[in-house]
Amino acid sequence: MDTKRVEIKDRMHPKEEELLEAARILREGGLVAFPTETVYGLGGNALDESAARKIYGAKGRPSDNPLIVHISCIDELPPLVKEIPTAGRILAETYWPGPLTLVFPKSDLVPESTTGGLDTVAVRMPDDPIASQLIHLSRVPVAAPSANTSGRPSPTTADHVWQDMNGKIEMVVDGGQVGIGVESTIVDVSGPVPVILRPGAVTQEMLDELLGKVLIDPAILGPMEKGVRPKAPGMKYKHYAPKADLALFEVKEETIKQLYTPGSRLYSLISSQMISDGRNWNLKPETFYMAWKVNEAAMEMEKAGAKIGVICTDETMDLYTVSLKRSIGKRASEASVAHNLYGVLREFDDLGSDYIYSESFSQTHLGGAIMNRLSKAAGYRILRV
Ligand code: AMP
Ligand code: MG
């Protein structure tokens, strides 16, 4: 199949005529990849069973992994769901349009091929001028998983989509690089208590503040135990795994304590390292220590002849002497790290490294989503130093 590529001239103000053909393709059962504020989505008519099957085919994704249904205004929600529980109403009022997906009991209108056989449906209203206008013009709810081949990092540019989908779908709408860079937060509001099924840019802290305590699906926190069924079926699949062996470095509590105890061995070592080259590092001692340990381990591998790369940050970049390093963003801005995360992982896949060592991040706020994606990509291989 020839895949058409349509470039949107002004990303924030797409013209109707630029999106009409894409909307027609969606309405008629074809597939169109398009940008949202989170990652690029692979869209198809959510009410058309054969469109859902085509999505699974193009992605190479198991068909029991349900799709998120995208809408452009709140009036499009009631036909898709059996009821709107109070928590769902409050969350939709507060965070829609935005990077939050809500799981509701589904209505009979939504085919089981879209929900992977579940009696619930995941719905999101994106806050992106292209996505929103395209869905509106198509006049159908749009099922749109991330527009990557299953097992590759989610696409954050039209070029990423092109690498995976050229020849497999009707059209790619090119809206440049997306803003957030990690997939939406998913909250299940179909039960008595809201449960976070996937962390994203609407953070746990934001949800706790709005609703009181929300629960967290254990599948977010670590590898699933055998026989346990995660509530978001997608969580059970081996997610993106880089071609290289990825390991994250994390500083132990005990080490941090020592780093702040004057007179301790680590305190003296790191203070002298930090001032030895006369530079004002302006880093927390634990960040300096982590980068120092990552570099030490990477240099050892490099000397042994391994092709190793390091994922670091703007603040720590200069500390590294290893030959292959890429900054994932600024520590001072978690948003920049989320924004670059999948692009950096794709770059390392293209570079063909055998090993990647990465710095880790705090688990709070957007860091929760960042560490969830990085830990999964690392197969939960976390080296505590
Ligand atoms: P993606 O489309 O790539 O953003 O992935 C969609 C995620 O949403 C997967 O992890 C799915 O398992 C999850 N999901 C979609 N529909 C439901 C649902 N009805 N209940 C729980 N999780 C869902
Ligand atoms: Mg995905």
Side-chain angles (χ1 to χ4, degrees):
M1 171 186 316
D2 273 345
T3 303
K4 212 169 166 175
R5 184 160 169 163
V6 171
E7 198 180 320
I8 305 299
K9 299 275 169 328
D10 180 355
R11 201 205 177 308
M12 295 319 284
H13 306 96
K15 294 208 175 69
E16 201 175 300
E17 60 265 29
E18 291 176 303
L19 293 172
L20 278 176
E21 189 182 351
R24 184 184 52 75
I25 294 170
L26 286 175
R27 194 167 48 251
E28 292 174 358
L31 303 188
V32 175
F34 60 90
T36 78
E37 76 274 39
T38 57
V39 300
Y40 270 76
L42 174 57
N45 180 350
L47 306 182
D48 176 346
E49 301 222 11
S50 77
R53 275 197 299 273
K54 283 188 209 166
I55 291 177
Y56 292 121
K59 277 182 68 77
R61 172 174 176 154
S63 61
D64 66 341
N65 189 358
L67 307 171
I68 295 173
V69 179
H70 293 69
I71 58 176
S72 66
C73 74
I74 196 73
D75 297 344
E76 293 160 17
L77 178 65
L80 302 172
V81 303
K82 217 171 230 160
E83 54 168 325
I84 301 177
T86 310
R89 184 181 48 74
I90 295 172
L91 286 169
E93 280 170 6
T94 311
Y95 289 113
W96 280 3
L100 175 68
T101 296
L102 298 172
V103 176
F104 296 99
K106 84 171 191 71
S107 74
D108 294 339
L109 191 66
V110 185
E112 291 203 342
S113 50
T114 296
T115 65
L118 296 176
D119 54 8
T120 51
V121 59
V123 186
R124 180 165 101 84
M125 190 197 299
D127 181 21
D128 178 283
I130 297 176
S132 171
Q133 191 164 173
L134 176 59
I135 298 162
H136 172 73
L137 290 171
S138 75
R139 304 201 301 270
V140 291
V142 176
S146 48
N148 52 295
T149 302
S150 204
R152 293 220 67 201
S154 294
T156 51
T157 67
D159 286 339
H160 296 163
V161 178
W162 197 255
Q163 286 167 8
D164 289 8
M165 292 296 151
N166 183 21
K168 296 184 181 156
I169 62 176
E170 278 80 1
M171 184 182 278
V172 176
V173 176
D174 180 351
Q177 184 160 10
V178 300
I180 295 175
V182 293
E183 304 86 342
S184 59
T185 308
I186 304 180
V187 178
D188 184 354
V189 292
S190 69
V193 187
V195 187
I196 305 178
L197 305 186
R198 177 171 76 184
V202 173
T203 64
Q204 187 191 342
E205 289 85 349
M206 289 153 81
L207 295 165
D208 279 345
E209 196 182 315
L210 186 67
L211 299 174
K213 201 77 189 130
V214 292
L215 298 178
I216 302 176
D217 193 58
I220 289 175
L221 304 171
M224 294 299 298
E225 277 174 41
K226 273 216 169 71
V228 176
R229 264 182 78 85
K231 291 188 73 182
M235 293 287 200
K236 76 170 177 277
Y237 294 106
K238 187 165 165 233
H239 241 242
Y240 160 70
K243 291 175 189 153
D245 269 345
L246 169 64
L248 306 182
F249 280 62
E250 206 171 74
V251 184
K252 291 186 282 203
E253 275 306 311
E254 195 185 303
T255 309
I256 296 178
K257 221 181 274 168
Q258 279 204 45
L259 286 166
Y260 284 91
T261 307
S264 77
R265 187 185 62 83
L266 277 182
Y267 182 92
S268 319
L269 182 70
I270 290 304
S271 334
S272 65
Q273 284 290 333
M274 284 180 81
I275 49 176
S276 69
D277 67 355
R279 210 182 317 207
N280 175 15
W281 281 101
N282 205 10
L283 289 174
K284 287 183 182 163
E286 59 269 35
T287 306
F288 186 93
Y289 180 77
M290 175 168 56
W292 191 54
K293 294 304 275 187
V294 174
N295 186 57
E296 193 179 68
M299 285 305 292
E300 212 167 281
M301 295 286 280
E302 192 169 285
K303 279 190 194 124
K307 205 168 167 198
I308 177 148
V310 159
I311 298 180
C312 55
T313 52
D314 287 5
E315 291 91 337
T316 55
M317 188 94 175
D318 285 351
L319 233 152
Y320 287 90
T321 51
V322 65
S323 30
L324 181 59
K325 55 184 173 180
R326 289 287 180 276
S327 171
I328 195 171
K330 286 189 182 35
R331 278 192 171 272
S333 157
E334 284 175 339
S336 73
V337 175
H339 182 77
N340 297 322
L341 195 152
Y342 286 127
V344 167
L345 291 176
R346 272 189 186 247
E347 198 181 338
F348 272 109
D349 272 355
D350 297 341
L351 287 165
S353 327
D354 299 323
Y355 301 91
I356 309 168
Y357 286 164
S358 175
E359 296 178 14
S360 59
F361 298 87
S362 100
Q363 294 272 5
T364 54
H365 304 284
L366 189 52
I370 292 166
M371 283 302 287
N372 170 261
R373 307 308 192 274
L374 278 177
S375 320
K376 283 179 130 199
Y380 298 98
R381 198 174 10 243
I382 298 174
L383 304 174
R384 297 194 165 81
V385 292

